[in-house]
Amino acid sequence: MNNPILFKEEKQYILQQKKLAEIMNMNYSNLELLFRAHMKNDDELFHELAMQIIKDEERKNHHLLAAKLKQILDDPPSKNEYSRLSNSLRKNIPPIPRDNEKGFPLLEVNKYHYNWDDLIVKKETEEILHEITVENQERHLLSSYGLKPKNKILFCGPPGTGKTLTAKIISSEIGYPLITVKFESVVSSYLGETSTNLKKIFDYIEKGRWVVLFDEFDIIGKKRDDPTEHGEIKRVVNNFMLMLENFRGDSILIASTNHPHILDSGVWRRFDEVVSFELPDTKCRNFIFHKKFSTFWKEPGIDLTRFALETEGFSGSDIEQVTVRAIKHTLIDKRQYITHEDLSNSVDRQKRIITAREA
Ligand SMILES: Nc1ncnc2c1ncn2[C@@H]1O[C@H](COP(=O)(O)OP(=O)(O)O)[C@@H](O)[C@H]1O
Ligand SMILES: [Mg+2]
């Protein structure tokens, strides 16, 4: 006999399943794959499917949802240096070295999912960066002819021009996790401890294949202006350079600085390539504005080119702050569109911030 209650429950179950699949705009096999990827810690597959969902949502004009999902994938690392890593990577990486004196971690290991579309720079800069990446991807081909890819790179340029972002992109493109070396922890107040810290870092790097970012490594350079620190810091720079020169692994080592002029001329020679990052010109600013607003509704007729013209001297990071501020304002006001006024106010506010910063 037909059981009406079971029938009703079954019907409800099927409806729920359909709704779930509809909400996610996925077919059942994709949904199943996503779950399986998560359970098997298959980070690659999980991200591939996740990116698929984001693209589907964008196609359906669900820009807010797409942006939110992308943000979840790209969330900045939390205080725990292991937190962003998939379980499989977490199990495979050696314990993070720490400073003897204060016990601070000397580096962070993260995995990112950026691509070249996220970076807007001059064509020449883009070409050099692609060349570095492709050489490292074709490492085996080069080595069969006795050649080595460029893997000791110096990034110079003003703050907020995309140096850290580029390291994240290279790491994403090549598929090696990104190690970020925290120079504040490395430069220890105890004499001699700094070199010990550097040795610990290089020992760690030798244990795997990574993209390593010695971020804002000018903290060393800055301290060279201080006569009391001079001897020690000079020794640290020399030590770092020696370790860099002796490094033979397959990892890509990137040092970044906002103040190239304070580095010894000897420093430059030790790198295979020096990449200069500049403040974006009007064309690049225009691209950055469009890129940052690509997943958000704008008031019809809003003229981003005009804002690109008005923001001479802004870095990529300044433009990012302008757009985030304007978007937040729009969301809090429960409006659907970003207006010319939102953007104009946010640009003015950023101009004041820049003036205060440069004073
Ligand atoms: N050239 C650029 N193209 C696109 N976005 C950029 C660019 N430069 C900076 N940004 C934005 O500003 C943020 C901060 O930039 P970042 O890479 O940390 O600068 P830097 O390391 O040179 O100080 C980036 O995450 C990105 O959102
Ligand atoms: Mg940086």
Side-chain angles (χ1 to χ4, degrees):
M1 214 175 89
N2 205 353
N3 182 341
I5 296 175
L6 189 67
F7 181 65
K8 198 176 158 197
E9 277 177 355
E10 269 176 355
K11 213 170 159 185
Q12 223 165 19
Y13 174 77
I14 292 166
L15 270 175
Q16 264 176 7
Q17 290 292 303
K18 274 195 174 158
K19 210 168 173 188
L20 191 64
E22 210 175 88
I23 286 168
M24 304 189 78
N25 191 32
M26 298 160 71
N27 57 40
Y28 290 105
S29 61
N30 263 358
L31 190 60
E32 192 183 324
L33 275 177
L34 187 76
F35 274 69
R36 282 191 195 284
H38 173 72
M39 295 312 287
K40 285 200 309 192
N41 289 325
D42 189 338
D43 225 23
E44 300 277 303
L45 180 62
F46 183 85
H47 275 92
E48 216 170 276
L49 290 164
M51 289 309 290
Q52 193 78 45
I53 298 171
I54 292 172
K55 279 189 188 135
D56 282 349
E57 292 305 323
E58 276 172 352
R59 261 196 295 273
K60 286 191 289 173
N61 274 343
H62 295 165
H63 296 293
L64 264 179
L65 178 61
K68 220 186 239 171
L69 294 177
K70 192 154 192 275
Q71 174 143 33
I72 294 172
L73 281 189
D74 293 339
D75 248 354
S78 78
K79 296 224 165 18
N80 175 355
E81 66 265 26
Y82 294 107
S83 62
R84 274 183 52 91
L85 301 172
S86 67
N87 285 339
S88 51
L89 182 58
R90 202 178 306 169
K91 273 186 231 143
N92 290 332
I93 66 163
I96 307 283
R98 289 174 180 270
D99 171 56
N100 281 343
E101 184 195 326
K102 302 181 201 100
F104 288 148
L106 294 170
L107 50 87
E108 245 182 33
V109 187
N110 290 302
K111 224 164 178 239
Y112 293 96
H113 302 275
Y114 288 93
N115 60 57
W116 289 118
D117 286 347
D118 292 306
L119 181 77
I120 289 149
V121 284
K122 285 191 317 193
K123 201 160 183 293
E124 304 91 270
T125 313
E126 197 176 273
E127 278 168 6
I128 299 173
L129 293 171
H130 285 198
E131 190 179 277
I132 294 167
T133 309
V134 173
E135 280 192 15
N136 280 280
Q137 282 166 332
E138 297 291 345
R139 187 165 36 88
H140 294 300
L141 172 71
L142 294 184
S143 78
S144 60
Y145 289 88
L147 299 168
K148 259 185 72 43
K150 295 172 186 167
N151 69 342
K152 295 164 191 176
I153 321 290
L154 180 63
F155 284 177
C156 320
T161 47
K163 301 182 292 299
T164 302
L165 174 63
T166 303
K168 291 176 184 172
I169 297 173
I170 294 179
S171 151
S172 312
E173 290 280 337
I174 296 182
Y176 298 170
L178 181 72
I179 289 184
T180 308
V181 175
K182 304 168 141 198
F183 261 101
E184 277 105 314
S185 317
V186 175
V187 182
S188 164
S189 53
Y190 284 116
L191 213 73
E193 202 55 37
T194 310
S195 301
T196 313
N197 284 344
L198 279 175
K199 169 129 190 10
K200 280 188 201 170
I201 292 166
F202 274 86
D203 285 349
Y204 190 89
I205 296 170
E206 307 244 322
K207 290 179 189 155
R209 275 191 196 139
W210 329 88
V211 172
V212 188
L213 176 64
F214 295 92
D215 207 6
E216 311 214 357
F217 121 103
D218 52 289
I219 189 162
I220 288 178
K222 258 187 235 157
K223 286 211 169 188
R224 286 172 61 234
D225 292 341
D226 181 344
T228 56
E229 297 271 10
H230 195 263
E232 165 72 349
I233 293 302
K234 207 167 171 192
R235 213 155 56 81
V236 173
V237 177
N238 288 342
N239 231 311
F240 175 69
M241 286 304 143
L242 214 65
M243 288 184 189
L244 192 82
E245 213 163 347
N246 291 334
F247 180 77
R248 293 282 170 271
D250 288 330
S251 297
I252 304 171
L253 311 190
I254 302 170
S256 91
T257 174
N258 297 335
H259 305 278
H261 56 280
I262 44 183
L263 294 175
D264 270 331
S265 58
V267 168
W268 302 88
R269 285 187 283 114
R270 320 285 177 105
F271 292 97
D272 298 328
E273 189 72 75
V274 178
V275 185
S276 291
F277 288 76
E278 292 169 6
L279 288 175
D281 59 14
T282 315
K283 195 170 145 206
C284 284
R285 291 199 299 276
N286 199 0
F287 278 132
I288 300 176
F289 267 115
H290 277 91
K291 166 99 205 136
K292 300 288 174 192
F293 279 129
S294 62
T295 52
F296 209 85
W297 290 105
K298 296 173 284 293
E299 183 181 41
I302 196 166
D303 185 8
L304 293 181
T305 313
R306 188 180 142 186
F307 287 103
L309 283 166
E310 264 181 28
T311 47
E312 176 85 48
F314 277 43
S315 66
S317 171
D318 287 323
I319 299 176
E320 151 117 335
Q321 286 172 49
V322 166
T323 54
V324 168
R325 190 183 298 115
I327 289 173
K328 277 185 184 167
H329 201 254
T330 312
L331 289 175
I332 290 168
D333 268 5
K334 310 266 185 299
R335 280 184 282 113
Q336 282 233 316
Y337 293 107
I338 279 212
T339 62
H340 178 93
E341 198 185 351
D342 292 322
L343 201 45
S344 178
N345 288 341
S346 187
V347 165
D348 288 346
R349 173 87 178 276
Q350 198 64 23
K351 280 185 181 163
R352 289 198 292 277
I353 292 172
I354 295 171
T355 312
R357 190 170 71 201
E358 286 170 357

